[in-house]
Amino acid sequence: VQKEEMAVSGKTFRATSVPQNSSFKQIIKGLFYASQIPCLRDEARNLLMGLSVHMFLVTETHKDFILAIDGGGKRVNVFNEMSKNDGEDQDGKGTDSTDDMDVNACPRTRQACVINGKIQPLPPFGVFRLTGPLENKVSPFLLNEVIVDMLCEGRGVGDMALELIEQMVRVAQRTEASKGAANDVPGVFSFQSLIASLLSTLLTAIWPCRTGIYRGITELLRLLVKNADIGPDFVALFEFDLVHAGLFSVKDCPRECPIAAREALGFFFDVWTILYGQSDPPSVSVVRDCLSIESNDVLDSCGRNEEPGSNDEDASTEKRTSPSESTEGTKPVVAGGSPSPAVLHLLLTELCSSNQLLRFAIRHCLQRSSAQPILSSSSPVLTSLLQPHVTILKRCLFSRSLRILPLPDQVGIVETLAFLISFTPDVLPLSDQHLLSFLGELLKMLSIADGAMNGDRTADVGVAVNKNGYVYKRDLVHATVDGEDASLTRSAKTHTSSVFLREEMVLRGRNDNVGDIVVPSELPLGVQLRVTSLALFRAVVKNHTSAFFEADKSTPIGNIRPHVISLFFRSLVSTPHQAVSLAHAALRDVLSLSVSSTKPTVQDDEGDNPGGDAANTPGSSLSPSQANSSLHRLPKDLLQTCIRPVLLDLRDYTKLSFELLRGISRLLSLLSSWFNQTLGEKLLDHLQKFLEPEKILRMNIYKQGEEPLLAAGVMDLFELLPRSTDFVEPLVKTTIR
């Protein structure tokens, strides 16, 4: 037998020794192009349709002469483990020894298995050796290669390729085949070859060519699933290959091209829906990231209040379309509707990826597999899925110290941990020593960056990200100028991230069973780390409430508790509005979860708010009766300690900023009854300074044009004060002046 070149990557066997193959392939391509010319369209289309039927029937009537082989030329059984006759060639003579092969190592299905923490390779499919009457003849799988090439080109020839795929499935439906064995599935070799060609081209083509491949794969899978003779069992055999291709498409799409991300995510979600089914139509038409907080927490004062696309008159026309768009096909192809252990292993190893888009895609699919609402609390189904893989999760999360990791890896690990604690708190309990050490290390890094913790100045804290999301060098973080953090005054405020940051986008639902999916925007890495850190500690408070509040101070949990509360308060006056909104929501959870069964009564008696502390820190005086009745699990001195740094800058009007005023506004909305009149008097004093605009302009302490806006921001705080009516008259007089 003459040496023949085989595509080891999984493509259909290419018999380069047959000179007719190259010529016949050019003829088929010419027919595709002719189908786009009006005067030749009908004849070319009829020839292509007839050719596809002929090629399909040739493979069906010559199954005994088509041998599945691997890259080394050895026969394989695609649907079972390596056959005992793998070493026999077409003449029955052994070419390779199989005595050392363990035929019981994997199940007798084409399902990847995990041994010793590693995914074992599957036997290749779609690679064939032609024997008998097919030897040295034109390959009957040549048409599949041309179909894939035309899908890559797109436009009209891509639509023609989809028609041929549909024609092949129709012919398979009419083909009589005996039932029982996998190789007796109608068109088993043709569809193997086509799937292999599509997947291998997807892994090698440049991203503009992948759009047609996405369409071809999803269309073929839908048609095969609907085919009663082929059925879901045949498609389920390629579960691991399809999920791997979907992950690769998301991971490999260029960051600077949002349209590539949109197409890759749509393809991955379509494949997931075909394999694992779709639950009942969602109660909401818009599905957000499962880590995002509720819309009333996310939106700032200038944010949008409508759902994405709600004002789009042509929103219905923007839905992603396909030739087979329908509401059918939502039943799972894979038995049980859950990913196999090998697929779960693959997903979990990529869950901590530095690629933000890939992390979102995996989280979304895992949440859909759990059959839980996206914004629901802990999911028992997801917990049962992940519980057997705790070892993998711990190895991905805790194998290396956080401070020695690059910033993108830090973001991925912290975000993954926030997701796990939010939805599967039983998988990683708060008593786990690895988790406690991780939380302590993260808190130390954030506190040193904010200047809230001195720590060991010679210690290497790795990448330090302050409350505003800016990354500084370690020597600048610890340096001080006049008692202030030098990193805030001397270092350039530059985000260490790519200049290409993707905006929020919406994937339109394909049918009534799939709502619109909102893909979160890509934030600068420093901001993303800060936001995900706040989400992580908020999840700890919400899902481990008793352990968090009732732990003794001498325990590791009790040791990190004051630092977590302080982190929330410090983040209220940060620059990124995402961090401010999340810190506000976290503090609201802290205050509500620490409330006793007796509802607190707001004390209006001024005597209950001693002003001793207010002299140094305006508004920080707390009512002892309120501390005992409503916040019994949060000591009064802890709240005073956390509030004091937030209010320090309020003593000097030259330090007023929009971030500070926004943070004070959020703080008053949570704890307005805990402040006395000292805060209002201090705000009036600040407004008096604006009665001398020439002096303020000469001092050059604010950006030009911001002065009246800051004064208006100070006025906005009065309505949130506990006795705001007492300041009406002086505020009106000051405003008139």
Side-chain angles (χ1 to χ4, degrees), residues 1-4 6 13 63-69 72-76 85-96 128-136:
V1 179
Q2 189 175 3
K3 289 289 185 179
E4 298 169 341
M6 293 168 294
F13 175 80
K63 286 184 177 180
D64 295 337
F65 304 100
I66 301 176
L67 307 178
I69 59 175
K74 189 166 59 175
R75 292 184 58 184
V76 294
N85 296 324
D86 287 343
E88 298 181 359
D89 59 15
Q90 64 270 29
D91 298 324
K93 298 180 180 180
T95 58
D96 297 285
F128 304 107
R129 176 186 296 146
L130 305 180
T131 63
L134 299 181
E135 186 177 357
N136 295 328

Side-chain angles (χ1 to χ4, degrees), residues 88-119:
E88 298 181 359
D89 59 15
Q90 64 270 29
D91 298 324
K93 298 180 180 180
T95 58
D96 297 285
S97 175
T98 58
D99 293 338
D100 57 346
M101 185 179 301
D102 184 8
V103 297
N104 296 319
C106 297
R108 293 186 62 84
T109 58
R110 195 178 185 279
Q111 186 179 66
C113 56
V114 181
I115 300 178
N116 296 328
K118 296 182 179 179
I119 301 176

Side-chain angles (χ1 to χ4, degrees), residues 369-629:
S369 296
S370 64
Q372 288 286 113
I374 294 299
L375 291 178
S376 67
S377 57
S378 59
S379 167
V381 179
L382 187 57
T383 301
S384 63
L385 279 177
L386 301 185
Q387 193 68 52
H389 303 274
V390 175
T391 303
I392 303 172
L393 290 171
K394 289 186 177 180
R395 184 168 66 245
C396 295
L397 294 171
F398 308 129
S399 59
R400 292 184 294 173
S401 176
L402 185 65
R403 65 176 181 271
I404 67 175
L405 294 176
L407 186 57
D409 293 337
Q410 290 185 13
V411 174
I413 290 178
V414 174
E415 189 174 277
T416 299
L417 200 55
F419 167 71
L420 294 175
I421 295 181
S422 297
F423 297 95
T424 60
D426 295 335
V427 173
L428 291 175
L430 196 56
S431 58
D432 186 89
Q433 293 302 316
H434 294 93
L435 176 59
L436 290 175
S437 299
F438 182 92
L439 296 177
E441 185 178 19
L442 178 60
L443 271 175
K444 181 179 179 181
M445 293 171 59
L446 297 175
S447 300
I448 291 178
D450 290 346
M453 179 186 297
N454 293 326
D456 184 1
R457 294 178 181 269
T458 63
D460 185 7
V461 296
V463 180
V465 178
N466 70 358
K467 62 184 178 182
N468 295 324
Y470 296 116
V471 181
Y472 301 92
K473 296 181 179 179
R474 180 167 55 89
D475 54 346
L476 289 179
V477 172
H478 295 298
T480 57
V481 176
D482 298 330
E484 297 181 2
D485 189 359
S487 63
L488 299 178
T489 57
R490 299 192 327 202
S491 179
K493 296 182 176 181
T494 304
H495 288 297
T496 57
S497 64
S498 171
V499 295
F500 301 104
L501 294 177
R502 188 185 60 257
E503 295 292 335
E504 181 182 273
M505 60 183 180
V506 181
L507 295 180
R508 301 297 179 184
R510 185 177 295 277
N511 50 57
D512 296 337
N513 291 63
V514 182
D516 294 344
I517 302 173
V518 179
V519 183
S521 59
E522 188 178 12
L523 302 176
L525 290 176
V527 176
Q528 187 66 50
L529 179 60
R530 193 73 183 200
V531 171
T532 53
S533 299
L534 292 171
L536 170 60
F537 290 112
R538 184 194 184 197
V540 170
V541 174
K542 291 183 64 176
N543 295 281
H544 300 286
T545 304
S546 299
F548 181 81
F549 286 108
E550 297 176 1
D552 189 79
K553 293 182 179 180
S554 59
T555 62
I557 302 176
N559 185 36
I560 68 173
R561 180 172 57 234
H563 298 289
V564 173
I565 305 299
S566 176
L567 174 66
F568 292 154
F569 277 100
R570 294 197 308 270
S571 299
L572 282 179
V573 292
S574 59
T575 301
H577 68 87
Q578 298 93 343
V580 174
S581 299
L582 199 49
H584 178 262
L587 280 175
R588 188 180 64 242
D589 293 337
V590 168
L591 298 177
S592 62
L593 293 173
S594 61
V595 170
S596 62
S597 57
T598 304
K599 291 185 178 180
T601 55
V602 178
Q603 301 292 334
D604 292 334
D605 188 4
E606 187 177 343
D608 289 334
N609 286 330
D613 294 328
N616 297 326
T617 307
S620 63
S621 299
L622 307 177
S623 169
S625 61
Q626 292 169 1
N628 293 332
S629 63

